[in-house]
Amino acid sequence: MSGTKRGSRNLLEDVLKAGLCTGCGACVTGCPYMAIHEGRIVVLDRCTIEDGDCWRHCPRTPTDVSGFSEKTQGVPFDFLEPGAIIAVEMVRSVDAAVREKGQDGGVVTALLAFALDEGMIDSVVCSKKDAGGAPHGFVARTARELLECAGSSYEAAFTLEAFRKIPAGNADRLAVVGVGCQMEALAKMKAAAPVNGGNPQNVQLTVGLFCGWALRSDIFRPLLEEICDTSRIVKFDIPHSPGTSFDVYTKDAGKISIPLDDIRPAINPACQYCWDMTAEFADISAGSAGSSFHGWNTVITRTPRGAGLMKRAVAAGIIEIQPLPESRMTKLKASALNRKKNALRNLARKSGTREDLGYISGLPAGLVDALLKD
Amino acid sequence: MASVIAADNPGAAVLLMGNEAVARGAIEAGIGVASAYPGSPTSEILPAIADVSGERDIYVEWSTNEKVALEVAAASSFAGIRSLAVMKQNGLNVALDFLVNLNMTGIGEGGMVVFVSDDPGAMTSGNEQDSRMAAKWFDNPLLEPENAHEAKEMVAWAFEFSESVNLPVIVRGVTRLCYTRGNVVLGDLPAGMRKKARFSDVWDMYNPTKSKFTATPSPVAHRLLHEKFEKAREILENAPFNRYSGPDNPELLIIATGVSAAYSAEAVDVLHLKERVGLLKMGALWPLPKKTILQWLSRTKNVLFVEEMDAFMEGSVMELWAGAGLHDGGIRFHGKCSGHFPPCNEQGADLVIKALTDILKIEHQLIDADYKREAAEYMRLVPNRPINMCAGCPHRATYWAIKNAIALDGRNGFVCGDIGCYAMGFGPPGFFQARTMHAMGSGTGVANGFGHLGRFGFDQPVIALSGDSTFYHAALPALVNAVYNRSNFTLLILDNGATAMTGFQPHPGTGVLATGEPAPVVDMEALCRATGAEVMVCDPFNLTETTQAILTMMKKNAGVRVIIMRHLCQLVKVKRKIAPRYSMRVEPEKCIGESCGCDRLCTRVFGCPGLMWDSRAGKAMIDEAICVGCGLCADVCPAGAIRKEEVH
Ligand SMILES: Cc1cc2nc3c(=O)[nH]c(=O)nc-3n(C[C@H](O)[C@H](O)[C@H](O)COP(=O)(O)OP(=O)(O)OC[C@H]3O[C@@H](n4cnc5c(N)ncnc54)[C@H](O)[C@@H]3O)c2cc1C
Ligand code: SF4
Ligand code: SF4
């Protein structure tokens, strides 16, 4: 499925130095030659392994995307659609307290807390913000811990580091929350389990987050420190309207709006090569793009497993649902496709030819030309 | 037991190392002061004298550097007390600025010998050089002994020579001389009261050089120096260290200096050339004993020079010959000029044999096939030991932290290395971190310069290293310079409590004198703080904390930051009988060895010699014979397979 066999030396050359690292966190745990430092993956020394986990699981090493789709979603891959779809709806948590803490409708937190509660899973690999609002991979075992993790950080969170830290042999049934590249890495781990650490066979549920881009901590943090006392940060938001500001909510100063353009220099350049806005390899994906109202999520239910959870959660009165208007659906699909075109275009520009799309392989012949013709 | 160095047993033959023979020679000459800075291959001379300093009433000191050592010795000579200063070749360079003035001013009434050893093959050095060139360069008498016995005789003789010409005398050794044992016939020890030290207060109009030690007016002093030099030449013409053996009119004349004379004699012997080849063995080299040499040149048509390192004699004799107008003599000169000897590395009898067979066109099988085969077999039995830091060495911990800090920092930081065990940091033991290495203190000096290149776009963080002894030797002025001139780098002082590389000599930070007596501690930390640098102290064995400290200091990116890495040298711990802290073992079930997630981190990268790789089992092991129980590898193993248990 994944193409070549390589090691950290190639990861360094072909991913890290090539500016492709998304900060998913899949490669670093269990490897003494790599570390995370200030939002970067750092290679500390020379490893001679030529068939390494790091290369195998990195979402930016050659990936046969259609092969993966079939394996994880059980349906043939259609690059023109935003992944496998059972339903696309507007959803929110019934509990106002969850909505309050959650990023949009609090659906992700509500669903996972419910899955913990009903015993579908034992723990959730997600991301928790530290005292300064910086995200780190975290394993939540209770609804309370989950609620502490609610709300988005827009920095790359290296969440999968925490997943890989779960010792082999640990029997917890897991849910994993993450953005598209993290779902891809997880899919790669399911296809070939890591040699040490992380139990992909125990993953019962994956919840994807829509993602436009993530920020590089080493650039974003200093910006943030200039405008506020980071230890007082409550929440970040990028409101749809007017769509030009990045809001930081703090305990003392309330909302501080920064022009989105000021934040853009901190966007991880690797994100321009990402094709996956809606986390297509998840059981359920949630975002806000497309939803009509503030405080609601747009949720794509992708797999029967995801559908079952949604159904039980509605029945239990945990979440409430409204249909997504047709026009919104069209818009969502258009932006997801647009994202793919951009990624292909940027990859082709990087390599200098459409024949070489870097890490993406397995796309039907002619499709790329058709997509990039305008 | 009284040291054999001071045995009062004239005429007895004892087995002494070259270095001990030098010490004995100085003692027989009745020196009152000996000073040195440690440096292999000369490091054993001062301790040998220190051992008997009480009974022989000699003041000995480890000086902070060679220039100071030379100055300390010179003062003693100025006051009429014989003195010896000892240094290796690099040390001479440090001391030169004083020496080039000292030979102008003269040394007064107490004879003075400067013993300098070169290190052909750089067995214990960072460089190769021929120190004899200094003698020719600034007109200083020079002697070079052939073996341990001659070293003793020559050093003792050199004091008288020094006094008779009022000049310091350089005695040049090489590693082979310093570390080879040979029979030495003891001479008389000085008896009776030592004379009183006194710095003359008499302004002697007629003999100013005896009572005034300034080289001004220099032209006058320089002229006087040359006058003394002619006198010195006369003395050397008859010195007992230049000897000829062979036929009256040799087909080929070998002119060999120092240990090369022994190699040459062996070669002549092996080739049965005693009837054809003459050997002029030279020990008294400079000022060139012209008459002696010309006398032998006039009796031959072929000359072969054999000497360690540069073409010192070769060039000088050829100059002499050219200047003497004897060209019609038609001599062919051989040596470095003819390619028979390389101008680098150690020479030996083999090379002389090769040169002789080539020049005289004789057949000789250098090494027979059986011998070659046998030698190869024995070589297989010799374990291959790559250069490495010791098990438990704190430098390995420091380099590990540096390596990780530089990688984490991510701005292509680098290390300016320095002289000491940690110089190995250019290779695997220091994870290839040290990127410059020159002279003592140069790491800090070079870092000074890098720290000013920001204006030209230079944006890499710079780390300078200095050993503790190196710090007092020559890094301190560079640190002061850095603070004063607002440079930008991090200095790591590797304070392992000894001058480890050369044999654990004490230094100003240790609180111990050369004699073992207690001394005031010159507080390194306070010294650094006084410069105005930001200073912190770390134990490199706390790897995480140390890495963080280096990282934090690197990130500051302004001013001079100092981290003192304090952890006792492992060999000093052994000397002080400090018991191992941990008992170590590898749990084979946990060791993941060659697999992804380790790739033999401990034995392949970390590289402590206390760890072994069992290739059959595919597991790491502790080598009980070498492991010193420092526990560091347990903190490095990613699998938690290396266990440390506190020993009570
Ligand atoms: C980097 C990033 C970019 C995004 N960009 C878009 C976008 O362009 N358009 C869009 O519609 N939606 C985007 N989202 C998704 C959106 O912010 C919400 O996460 C999503 O709508 C779910 O809302 P919720 O109220 O259900 O979340 P919550 O109930 O608050 O749960 C959020 C979950 O996300 C996890 N999380 C928080 N930060 C991160 C992180 N940095 N990486 C991984 N997991 C994290 C938390 O652990 C928590 O479990 C983005 C999210 C992230 C993390
Ligand atoms: S994208 Fe993920 S797996 Fe790849 S290098 Fe970055 S953090 Fe590692
Ligand atoms: S002992 Fe630890 S570091 Fe050494 S090979 Fe085994 S797992 Fe790797």
Side-chain angles (χ1 to χ4, degrees), chain B residues 178-487:
Chain B
C178 293
Y179 286 144
T180 304
R181 284 180 189 277
N183 254 347
V184 173
V185 181
L186 301 183
D188 290 323
L189 289 176
M193 289 280 286
R194 196 186 280 291
K195 76 177 196 193
K196 181 174 155 52
R198 184 155 196 282
F199 185 80
S200 168
D201 54 0
V202 181
W203 172 245
D204 181 349
M205 291 291 283
Y206 302 100
N207 192 4
T209 60
K210 283 265 159 130
S211 58
K212 172 179 151 282
F213 300 98
T214 69
T216 45
S218 296
V220 177
H222 200 175
R223 181 173 49 75
L224 284 173
L225 170 62
H226 280 272
E227 284 172 21
K228 290 195 234 174
F229 224 53
E230 287 316 310
K231 184 176 168 197
R233 197 189 308 279
E234 281 311 311
I235 296 174
L236 293 195
E237 294 285 7
N238 301 307
F241 310 111
N242 299 338
R243 280 189 303 271
Y244 176 80
S245 55
D248 283 349
N249 293 297
E251 204 176 311
L252 180 139
L253 173 70
I254 298 177
I255 300 181
T257 72
V259 294
S260 302
Y263 302 150
S264 305
E266 187 186 334
V268 171
D269 206 37
V270 167
L271 296 174
H272 309 293
L273 289 172
K274 280 205 173 98
E275 309 303 320
R276 296 170 66 188
V277 173
L279 170 59
L280 180 58
K281 167 229 164 310
M282 300 212 46
L285 307 189
W286 203 258
L288 197 65
K290 295 180 184 172
K291 280 188 224 147
T292 312
I293 290 168
L294 285 174
Q295 174 200 338
W296 288 105
L297 285 185
S298 65
R299 299 185 187 200
T300 189
K301 295 281 173 224
N302 269 306
V303 175
L304 173 67
F305 296 96
V306 189
E307 53 192 326
E308 288 288 359
M309 303 302 316
D310 293 341
F312 176 79
M313 260 299 136
E314 188 171 324
S316 305
V317 169
M318 280 156 71
E319 273 168 33
L320 172 67
W321 180 72
L326 300 173
H327 312 58
D328 351 324
I331 298 180
R332 289 193 63 129
F333 291 104
H334 310 269
K336 320 251 181 209
C337 62
S338 60
H340 286 103
F341 295 99
C344 55
N345 215 337
E346 256 201 323
Q347 338 253 285
D350 283 359
L351 278 179
V352 187
I353 290 174
K354 255 180 139 170
L356 287 175
T357 52
D358 182 60
I359 299 164
L360 298 176
K361 310 262 173 299
I362 41 183
E363 287 290 323
H364 177 74
Q365 182 75 36
L366 203 52
I367 299 171
D368 68 50
D370 279 355
Y371 181 91
K372 243 189 190 158
R373 192 177 27 82
E374 245 178 79
E377 258 161 45
Y378 282 117
M379 279 310 285
R380 261 201 297 280
L381 299 178
V382 180
N384 181 15
R385 280 212 325 163
I387 67 153
N388 202 347
M389 293 163 187
C390 307
C393 175
H395 297 330
R396 184 176 291 102
T398 299
Y399 270 117
W400 191 260
I402 290 175
K403 169 190 77 124
N404 288 346
I406 285 180
L408 291 173
D409 175 84
R411 289 176 292 160
N412 292 313
F414 60 91
V415 172
C416 297
D418 218 301
I419 310 293
C421 294
Y422 54 98
M424 281 182 266
F426 71 87
F431 321 113
F432 308 97
Q433 295 299 302
R435 304 273 294 282
T436 72
M437 192 196 44
H438 299 85
M440 295 283 286
S442 291
T444 314
V446 170
N448 260 272
F450 280 118
H452 291 295
L453 300 181
R455 70 187 64 207
F456 306 121
F458 181 82
D459 54 7
Q460 295 160 265
V462 178
I463 293 178
L465 294 191
S466 168
D468 40 3
S469 190
T470 308
F471 174 72
Y472 297 105
H473 180 289
L476 188 55
L479 172 62
V480 172
N481 185 67
V483 175
Y484 168 56
N485 286 306
R486 299 183 303 178
S487 188

Side-chain angles (χ1 to χ4, degrees), chain A residues 33 40 45-46 48 196, chain B residues 403 408 594 596 598-599 604:
Chain A
Y33 300 93
R40 286 178 295 121
D45 219 312
R46 296 161 308 133
T48 63
N196 52 83
Chain B
K403 169 190 77 124
L408 291 173
E594 271 167 330
C596 180
C598 178
D599 191 20
R604 188 181 62 86

